[in-house]
Amino acid sequence: MNKSPILYRQIAMVAAVVLAGCSLAPTYERPAAPLAPQWPQPLPAAVAPAAPAAGDLHWNKFFLNPSLRELIRLALDNNRDLRIAVLNIEQARATWQVRRADQFPTLNLGATGIVQPKADGSGGTSSAYTAGLSITGWELDFFGRVASLKDAALAQFLATEQARLAVQAGLIAAVATTWLNLQTDEEFIALTKQTLITREDSLRLTRLRLDNGAASRLDVRQAESLTAGAQATLQQNLRQRAQDINALTLLVGQPLTDDLLKAASATARPQFADVPAGLPSDLLVQRPDIRQAEQQLIAANANIGAARAAFFPRISLTAAYGSASSGLTNLFQNGFLGGTLGAQALLPIFDAGRNEANLASSKAARDIAVAQYEKTIQTAFREVADALAGRATLAEQLAAQQAQVDAEADRFRLADLRYRNGVASYLEVLDAQRSLFILQATLAQVRLAYWQNQVTLYKVLGGGATPPPT
């Protein structure tokens, strides 16, 4: 009698039981977010409330400068950190696929042949050949151990996807920040060169006045000191520009063309779109690092289910169906067709506390993941609050700094005019010149902080992690 239909029905019944198996993992509940309902800083009225949230605004809609957008595009194509993050996704996906495959039986095709001497001492040989399909050691997941491991691997896979988005957002912000640094370097260099020219002219005039008895050697030495100081500052700024070019090259992942470097000049003002801050609770869905931390928490929660299932019997199934014959030529023609079905159940009786320790470890890992999730949310809240504080104050600070520079520039002009007409001493000119240079440098730093704060606010609100628009 052909036994294959009976065997197939038995396997189908077992599979139905397995698919109806339970899970011992705790029901996942998202922890309460340790967030205040509102930001500590008042939101400016200048940002249109209808503007898209940072997490929904693609980076090429936020960064409006063409050269900066080209640098970001090159970085997304060539940056090695981002490439590693993408490969981590592929590795996590493969691990999840392995865990998912554990839920299904592995079907093998096998053939054996045995030739051995006959036991009757006649000197002859006997042979036996088999060929067929087999399932070996398929675990019937009644208690959800395999399913929990699969769920944990899936959550880790989703976490690596969010990690890639976080790396992308950080890369975009780093490129923009370094580009702004390079712009400020160019501004410092131009400022220092202009100051050096002014001080060299002043030094020549002071030496001429010394030759005519209208100035002292002390005036000359003071002018020489200021000139040498400007020369030293110029070399420092040139070195800083070279280092920022190297940093930008590393971020972009390829050598920068002269056109891109020329575009990052002090005259190429950055242009950014405005984004609303929204509510603190929006961070839970806008920030990829928060979503990553939550997926890691889900994975830790699923691992508890696998640890709990280890206390229960582990049932595995072995099945085979094929043909057997004493002759190789008759194996697939006149061979005996048949199958076997066997099951094995193993219940842990004594393991020296291994299962209890694994369960305790998985619970502790879940608690750690909860704390990390909450810490990620708190860190995100602090980063946004800091950026909002910068947006609320840096614009006014920049305007006040510009007014101070304008006043100091006029004071230097008047002091130089008074000195050239013999009304004031050279010390008055030197003091005005030194103060003007310091204030101009401070203005450039405040302007840099103002632009970088806009980039930072866009990033910490979840910007830069959205896929390109279709």
Side-chain angles (χ1 to χ4, degrees), residues 368-419:
I368 292 173
V370 171
Q372 290 174 336
Y373 173 70
E374 294 173 343
K375 177 64 180 298
T376 303
I377 293 175
Q378 292 175 339
T379 301
F381 182 89
R382 183 265 174 96
E383 290 175 348
V384 175
D386 287 348
L388 289 176
R391 186 169 72 174
T393 58
L394 280 170
E396 295 184 4
Q397 181 184 357
L398 182 61
Q401 195 72 39
Q402 182 65 60
Q404 188 178 14
V405 168
D406 294 341
E408 196 64 27
D410 193 52
R411 183 172 85 92
F412 170 67
R413 181 185 63 80
L414 294 175
D416 185 65
L417 182 62
R418 285 164 54 85
Y419 173 70

Side-chain angles (χ1 to χ4, degrees), residues 419-461:
Y419 173 70
R420 291 175 185 272
N421 289 277
V423 179
S425 67
Y426 190 64
L427 287 176
E428 184 178 341
V429 177
L430 294 179
D431 180 67
Q433 189 180 64
R434 185 186 302 108
S435 297
L436 177 60
F437 178 72
I438 293 174
L439 289 176
Q440 287 174 329
T442 303
L443 176 63
Q445 292 174 343
V446 174
R447 186 181 296 112
L448 173 63
Y450 172 76
W451 291 118
Q452 287 184 342
N453 185 77
Q454 294 195 39
V455 175
T456 301
L457 181 60
Y458 173 68
K459 176 194 171 223
V460 298
L461 286 174

